[in-house]
Amino acid sequence: MPSGIADRVAIIGMGCTRFGERWDCGPDDLMVEAFNEASADAGVARDDIGAAWLGVFFDEQSTGKSALPLSMALRLPNIPVTRVENLCATGTEALRGAVYAVGAGACDVALAVGVEKLKDTGYAGLPERTKGSFEDLYLPGSTAPGAFAQLAAAYASRHGFSMDKLREAMAHVSCKSHANGARNPKAHLRNRITPEQVLAAPLISYPLGVYDCCGVSDGAACAIVTTPERARALGKKHFVTVKALQLAPSNGVEMGHQSWDGSYTLTTRLAARRAYAEAGIARPREAIDLMEVHDCFSITELVVMEDLDLSDVGRAPYDILDGRYDWDGAIPCQTDGGLKCFGHPIGASGLRMAYEIYQQLLGRAGERQLKAPALGLTHNLGGIPNRNIASVAILGLAD
Amino acid sequence: LGSILACGAYVPRLRLARATIQEAMGWLARPNERREAGARAVCNWDEDTLTLAVEAARGCLAAARRAPAAVTLASTTLPFADRSNATLLAAALDLAPEMQTMDVTATLRAATTALAQASRATAGPTLLVASDARSARPGSEEELQFGAAAVALLVAPASSESDGALAHIRAAAHLAADFVDHYRMSGQAFDYSLEERWIRDEGIGKLAPPAIAAALQAAGLKAGDIRHCVLPLRRASAQRLARASGLEDAQLAADLREDCGDTGVAQPLLLLASTLETAGRGEHILLLGLGQGVDALVLTAAGTPLAAGHGPVSSALARRHEETSYTRYLSHRGLLEVDFGMRAERDNRSAQSVMWRKERQVTGFVGGRCTRCGTQQFPRSRVCVNPECRLTDTQSDCRLAELKGRVKSFTEDWQAYAPRPPALYGNVEFEGGGNLLMEFTDADSGEVEVGMPVKFVFRIKDVDRLRAFRRYFWKATGAL
C-alpha cells in the first residue's frame, strides 16, 4: 500500500484574482496578479521556486500551449514548467503536479498556476471545442448545460422526483451560492437571488435555466507548496497541508455501457472513496467541515452531494432544502460562491477552490468566515456526465 | 417480365398545410384566388432524398425474404452530383458490397424506366428506390404542389424466383419525346414550368395514349381489362387521359394530393404501392411515368389485399406532424437565411480518411458485440467497455440500426446550434445493452421523455457550408 500524500506537503501561499469579465486583462496579467498575492503570502520569491505547473484548458483561446505562457508571464528563471490539462479538473491537476514534485523530493518549493481567459470568444457561454475527427461524425453537437441537464432527467426518473420538486432543490443550490458570493469581493456574480427568480429565468437547456448555470469568467489562481519542514523553517506555525489528492477519469463505461443509469457521476464516487482513504477519513459526513464542489450547474452540485457520500443516494434534494449545505448548515458548500458565483475560468477553478478552503482554514475568509474549520474538500468534474475526470482534494491544518 | 417482391414507403413527418403557405404568401395572389386544400409532405431540416430513400428501403427489405443483388436510386434531387448516391444508400443499409449500384435521374419518369429495366435484369433482384424532395420558389404554384416521399420496391427479373410477389410486370412500352413541360438546369434550385393547358392537350393528351396502347398490346390485354389506372397526374387530368385511352371503367389511383402532394420521381411508384395495398389478386394495373416521353407498364396484382388503411403507404401517410411555421419551413429548405448566432459558425469539416476508416460504423451504424461477454457497444473498440470484461480484440460487428432503444436521459438545448431549436439529445440504451449519447429527431419540445421507446433513423448530421458537403449519421426518434 502506498503511504499517500497526507501531510507530506504544505501549502504556504495562495493567490487568486478577482474572477469575472476582465476585459482589460489578458492571461499574462491574470497570472501575475495571482502570483504576486501568493508570493507575498508565502514569503517566497520567484527565484526560490524549483519547478512550476501551469493549468490551462482552452489553449486555443489566447493563453497558448506549453510552459511558455507561465514562464514568460512571470519571467521565471528558466526552471522546469509543465503545462497540464484535464478538462475542468485542470487547476487541481496543476496543484497535483506541484504537490507530487515536492512530495517526491524533486524540489523544495513548487508553484501551481491555473488560468483561463474565456471572454475573448465574442459570445456568452463556453466556446465550442472540437471533439476529434471521429467523434464529430457521431456525437451530438452538445453544450455543457445540455450535457449536464441529462443528470436532471435521469435523476428525477431514477429517484421518482417530479421535475418541479427537483428544480425547487436546484434553485436552493443556486440561491445559497449567490448569498455566499455576495459576501465575496473577488466573486464574479455578487447579487442575491430568490427561488422565484431561478424558476422564472430563461431556459438554457431543459430543465436548466440561466440561474442554474455557473458564470463564464476570466481569472487565475495560484499555490506555492513546500515541505512541512521548509514551511516551519520559513516561520510558518499555522499552515495548511494536503491530506489527499485523487483523480479518477472515466474509461468509457458511462458513455458506452448500460450499467450507468445517467443519474450520478461515477468518477466522483471513485475519487472520493480513494481520497477519504488517503486522508484517513472513515466518516466524511462528520470529518469534512466545508467543501467547494464542481457546481458548473445546480444539478451537478445536487448529485455530487451523494457521490461524495455526504447525502444518502436519493436524499440530496431533501438535505439541500433542509439547508444542510448552506453557509450556516452542517457542511457548508461553496462558501465563496462556487463556480456559480465566484465564476469558472476553467484552468483556475480547482486552485480557486483550494484558495477558499485555505482562507477558511487559516481564518482569513472575512465576513463569510466559518467557525474554526479543520478539514476542507475540493471537487472538480471535468468533462460531461457521460465521460469525465473527477478530482478530489482534501486540505487540512497541519498538526 | 419481372415481379415486385416487396414494397416500402416513407413520407417525411412534417406536413405544411397549403393554407399556411397561402396565408404567408397571399399578398402575392390575385383577389378571389382559390384556397388550396390539404398539405404537402416536407422534409425536416435533416432529411433529404437520400434519408427518405434509406427509410423506404429499410421498410422494403424488412418485408422481403431475399437480399438485393443491385441497388438503383431514382431521383431528380440527389444530394450528390458526383458521388454515387445509390452506393451511399447501400452503405446505410449495410448491404454486402458485391453489388451493382446505380443512380437514375434527370426525368420524372426515372423510376418507371428503372422499374422496367430492373424487371429485364439478368442477375438477382434489384432494390429500386424512387425518392424526391424538390425545392419550390416561394410564391410559386410548385410551392403549393410539391411533396416529398420515397418508395422502395424489390424487383425480381423474370428469370428469378417470384414466390410471394405483390405484382407481376407483364409489359412495358416506352416513348421518348423532348417535350419540355418543365425543366431544371444542373445546379439550379427550382423548376421552370410551362403552361398547364398546353402540357395537358399537346403533351400528355397526344403522347400518352399511343404508349398506353402499345403496352396493352404487348401485354395481350384490352383497355377494358385494366382495373386500376396509376397516373401521376392531378385527378382532372388523370380522368381526361383515362377517357382518351378507353380506360374509363378502370379505377383511378388516388392522387394523394391532399395527403402529401406531388412527390416527383416517387409519385408513380407511391400511387402504385398505394394501389397494391388493396388491389385484388389477378387485377390488371396500368402504370404511367411521364417526363420527356412516356413509360407505360402493365402489371397484374398478385398479393393478398389488405384492409383499407393498412400497408406501407397508408402507414407512412398516417405518421404526420403539422409544420405550423412557414418561415421555419423556408429555413429548413435553405430559402431563408436566419441568424443562428455565432455557434452556427462551427467548422464541420469531415475527415474523409476517418469516414472511410469508420464507414460501416458511421454510415451503417454498426457497433461491436463482445464475443466473450456479449456486451453491445458503439463505437466498436479494441477493448470491451464492460467493466467486468475489458478483453482486447473480442468484438464482432453488430448492426445497431435495426434495434429498438429506450431514452435514459434527455435535454432540450436552447444554447446549442440547431436548425430546428431546441437541439434534442440524450442517452439512449439499446435493446440488448449498450449506451450512446445521441441526437433525437422528428421531435419538438415536449415530445421526448425518459423511458420512451425509440428507433433509429439515418439523417443529415451536419452541413459543411465551407466545403459544400453534408454528412449523415443515425438519430433516435419515437417508436410508435
Side-chain angles (χ1 to χ4, degrees):
Chain A
M1 272 294 283
S3 54
I5 202 72
D7 292 321
R8 293 169 63 181
V9 180
I11 302 178
I12 55 168
M14 290 205 76
C16 185
T17 68
R18 182 173 62 78
F19 282 7
E21 291 169 334
R22 302 286 302 261
W23 304 114
D24 57 335
C25 287
D28 47 346
D29 301 309
L30 297 167
M31 284 188 279
V32 169
E33 188 179 326
F35 176 75
N36 286 349
E37 183 186 347
S39 173
D41 178 25
V44 165
R46 192 169 46 171
D47 291 355
D48 297 331
I49 296 165
W53 274 259
L54 167 64
V56 182
F57 172 49
F58 282 111
D59 53 63
E60 52 283 90
Q61 283 306 308
S62 61
T63 305
K65 298 176 194 290
S66 84
L68 295 176
L70 177 62
S71 188
M72 294 182 67
L74 300 186
R75 307 288 187 214
L76 290 173
N78 310 97
I79 56 167
V81 179
T82 306
R83 184 253 168 146
V84 294
E85 187 280 301
N86 234 341
L87 304 177
C88 291
T90 295
T92 301
E93 189 65 299
L95 178 64
R96 193 162 155 269
V99 166
Y100 277 23
V102 167
C107 59
D108 271 353
V109 180
L111 171 70
V113 175
V115 65
E116 208 75 49
K117 177 68 197 173
L118 293 175
K119 297 309 300 177
D120 283 337
T121 53
Y123 54 78
L126 289 181
E128 294 257 2
R129 77 192 168 83
T130 176
K131 296 182 290 296
S133 47
F134 178 37
E135 295 191 344
D136 282 348
L137 302 180
Y138 68 90
L139 281 183
S142 59
T143 62
F148 278 92
Q150 309 289 331
L151 282 175
Y155 187 95
S157 163
R158 166 78 178 77
H159 297 295
F161 283 93
S162 70
M163 195 52 85
D164 286 347
K165 182 69 182 173
L166 189 59
R167 289 201 70 192
E168 195 187 325
M170 288 156 60
H172 188 97
V173 166
S174 295
C175 291
K176 169 267 299 163
S177 293
H178 272 262
N180 293 345
R183 298 195 291 181
N184 180 358
K186 288 187 173 179
H188 183 171
L189 305 171
R190 302 196 59 200
N191 55 324
R192 289 170 195 276
I193 56 170
T194 64
E196 293 70 33
Q197 281 175 289
V198 176
L199 296 173
L203 202 60
I204 298 292
S205 200
Y206 176 82
L208 305 177
V210 167
Y211 285 121
D212 290 293
C213 306
C214 73
V216 172
S217 328
D218 303 326
C222 173
I224 295 171
V225 299
T226 189
T227 59
E229 296 73 35
R230 180 74 179 264
R232 289 189 187 95
L234 283 164
K236 309 272 179 193
K237 294 190 183 68
H238 190 57
F239 60 88
V240 171
T241 61
V242 176
K243 306 292 183 187
L245 248 180
Q246 287 293 333
L247 196 75
S250 297
N251 66 3
V253 164
E254 304 96 305
M255 188 61 103
H257 195 250
Q258 64 276 10
S259 56
W260 181 63
D261 67 13
S263 72
Y264 60 98
T265 69
L266 179 62
T267 53
T268 300
R269 296 184 177 188
L270 300 171
R273 201 178 302 158
R274 286 183 211 150
Y276 295 143
E278 186 171 40
I281 295 172
R283 293 190 182 82
R285 298 180 192 192
E286 292 159 31
I288 302 295
D289 295 317
L290 80 155
M291 60 185 158
E292 290 288 326
V293 303
H294 202 81
D295 59 329
C296 50
F297 302 97
S298 55
I299 187 64
T300 322
E301 180 172 327
L302 185 148
V303 305
V304 159
M305 294 303 102
E306 299 177 8
D307 296 338
L308 291 172
D309 194 26
L310 301 174
S311 280
D312 290 342
V313 171
R315 301 296 303 175
Y318 302 111
D319 290 346
I320 286 165
L321 289 168
D322 284 348
R324 177 175 165 82
Y325 303 115
D326 291 355
W327 181 81
D328 55 358
I331 313 176
C333 184
Q334 323 300 64
T335 50
D336 62 357
L339 299 175
K340 176 76 196 77
C341 294
F342 204 138
H344 187 22
I346 299 172
S349 283
L351 283 160
R352 182 276 302 163
M353 295 174 174
Y355 178 78
E356 174 66 5
I357 303 291
Y358 176 87
Q359 300 288 0
Q360 289 280 1
L361 293 176
L362 296 179
R364 302 178 183 170
E367 51 168 325
R368 59 184 195 283
Q369 180 63 48
L370 301 169
K371 206 162 145 191
L375 211 54
L377 175 148
T378 74
H379 160 263
N380 294 113
L381 193 78
I384 60 174
N386 277 70
R387 59 170 180 206
N388 53 70
I389 295 130
S391 63
V392 173
I394 298 173
L395 308 179
L397 288 169
D399 298 329
Chain B
L1 296 173
S3 304
I4 296 171
L5 301 182
C7 170
Y10 180 80
V11 178
R13 182 176 92 128
L14 292 179
R15 294 293 190 285
L16 183 64
R18 293 188 173 88
T20 304
I21 300 172
Q22 289 189 311
E23 198 175 309
M25 295 305 299
W27 57 272
L28 195 59
R30 292 169 300 195
N32 300 329
E33 197 72 272
R34 69 183 192 284
R35 303 301 290 183
E36 299 262 358
R40 309 167 46 199
V42 295
C43 287
N44 200 342
W45 77 268
D46 60 356
E47 291 182 303
D48 66 10
T49 298
L50 186 67
T51 69
L52 306 183
V54 170
E55 288 312 304
R58 290 172 76 193
C60 177
L61 293 178
R65 278 173 292 178
R66 294 171 63 188
V71 173
T72 299
L73 177 56
S75 176
T76 67
T77 51
L78 295 166
F80 289 91
D82 189 351
R83 175 189 179 187
S84 169
N85 299 278
T87 303
L88 181 48
L89 168 61
L93 298 169
D94 197 38
L95 297 176
E98 296 78 16
M99 69 161 59
Q100 172 190 294
T101 52
M102 182 167 64
D103 290 330
V104 183
T105 185
T107 173
L108 291 184
R109 64 183 170 99
T112 46
T113 306
L115 176 58
Q117 187 81 6
S119 71
R120 296 183 190 114
T122 51
T126 296
L127 176 66
L128 166 62
V129 188
S131 179
D132 235 351
R134 294 173 293 170
S135 273
R137 205 187 299 275
S140 66
E141 177 63 17
E142 288 82 358
E143 188 185 39
L144 290 168
Q145 306 310 335
F146 284 0
V151 180
L153 302 178
L154 188 65
V155 184
S159 58
S160 181
E161 206 182 307
S162 64
D163 282 2
L166 300 175
H168 300 296
I169 301 162
R170 298 177 64 104
H174 306 281
L175 184 124
D178 187 32
F179 181 86
V180 184
D181 59 330
H182 74 281
Y183 66 87
R184 186 164 81 242
M185 288 290 288
S186 292
Q188 295 297 304
F190 307 119
D191 288 4
Y192 189 84
S193 298
L194 283 302
E195 192 186 349
E196 238 176 302
R197 299 167 64 82
W198 173 68
I199 297 165
R200 186 190 69 195
D201 296 342
E202 189 67 10
I204 298 164
K206 291 189 177 170
L207 297 171
I212 293 171
L216 287 171
Q217 192 183 10
L221 295 174
K222 296 187 292 292
D225 297 330
I226 298 295
R227 188 66 204 282
H228 303 275
C229 260
V230 178
L231 310 177
L233 295 165
R234 290 179 64 173
R235 186 148 195 94
S237 301
Q239 276 168 338
R240 182 183 287 254
L241 175 59
R243 268 199 308 275
S245 304
L247 296 161
E248 49 270 89
D249 293 338
Q251 199 176 331
L252 279 179
D255 65 7
L256 304 182
R257 188 178 168 280
E258 299 198 2
D259 303 278
C260 63
D262 177 358
T263 62
V265 167
Q267 192 74 352
L269 300 197
L270 186 69
L271 304 189
L272 172 67
S274 174
T275 300
L276 287 176
E277 288 181 355
T278 51
R281 195 186 297 257
E283 291 177 353
H284 301 306
I285 302 165
L286 176 79
L287 168 68
L288 217 61
L290 295 166
Q292 291 75 58
V294 184
D295 293 322
L297 286 84
V298 177
L299 302 93
T300 305
T304 312
L306 303 168
H310 292 263
V313 178
S314 300
S315 310
L317 290 171
R319 183 182 154 276
R320 54 189 295 158
H321 180 82
E322 191 177 355
E323 172 54 271
T324 50
S325 167
Y326 177 72
T327 54
R328 185 165 55 185
Y329 148 78
L330 288 181
S331 172
H332 287 358
R333 300 274 53 80
L335 301 174
L336 182 68
E337 196 179 321
V338 172
D339 181 4
F340 284 107
M342 287 190 194
R343 284 177 193 280
E345 293 168 8
R346 188 175 76 160
D347 187 347
N348 285 317
R349 174 184 173 269
S350 300
Q352 295 297 341
S353 54
V354 180
M355 274 300 293
W356 176 238
R357 199 156 64 230
K358 305 285 188 184
E359 190 224 5
R360 274 194 81 197
Q361 297 207 37
V362 174
T363 308
F365 205 15
V366 174
R369 181 185 282 120
C370 179
T371 53
R372 300 298 182 82
C373 73
T375 297
Q376 291 176 162
Q377 46 211 288
F378 187 91
R380 183 183 161 160
S381 54
R382 295 289 302 275
V383 184
C384 178
V385 74
N386 179 0
E388 310 296 326
C389 174
R390 291 189 292 139
L391 288 173
T392 302
D393 293 338
T394 53
Q395 291 172 46
S396 60
D397 287 333
C398 164
R399 179 153 151 105
L400 302 169
E402 307 303 339
L403 298 180
K404 289 186 172 61
R406 188 185 68 88
V407 177
K408 287 166 70 175
S409 69
F410 75 98
T411 191
E412 297 173 359
D413 190 339
W414 296 94
Q415 186 183 43
Y417 162 63
R420 189 181 179 89
L424 278 149
Y425 53 91
N427 284 292
V428 171
E429 184 175 319
F430 300 100
E431 148 191 62
N435 179 82
L436 185 63
L437 183 65
M438 62 192 307
E439 288 176 36
F440 300 108
T441 190
D442 280 357
D444 288 335
S445 182
E447 289 191 275
V448 173
E449 54 189 66
V450 174
M452 184 174 117
V454 291
K455 60 182 180 178
F456 305 104
V457 290
F458 185 73
R459 292 296 174 98
I460 296 169
K461 168 83 169 72
D462 293 296
V463 176
D464 180 354
R465 286 178 187 82
L466 211 55
R467 300 167 194 84
F469 188 74
R470 65 182 66 156
R471 60 187 179 209
Y472 301 85
F473 185 58
W474 295 78
K475 301 182 186 180
T477 191
L480 298 172

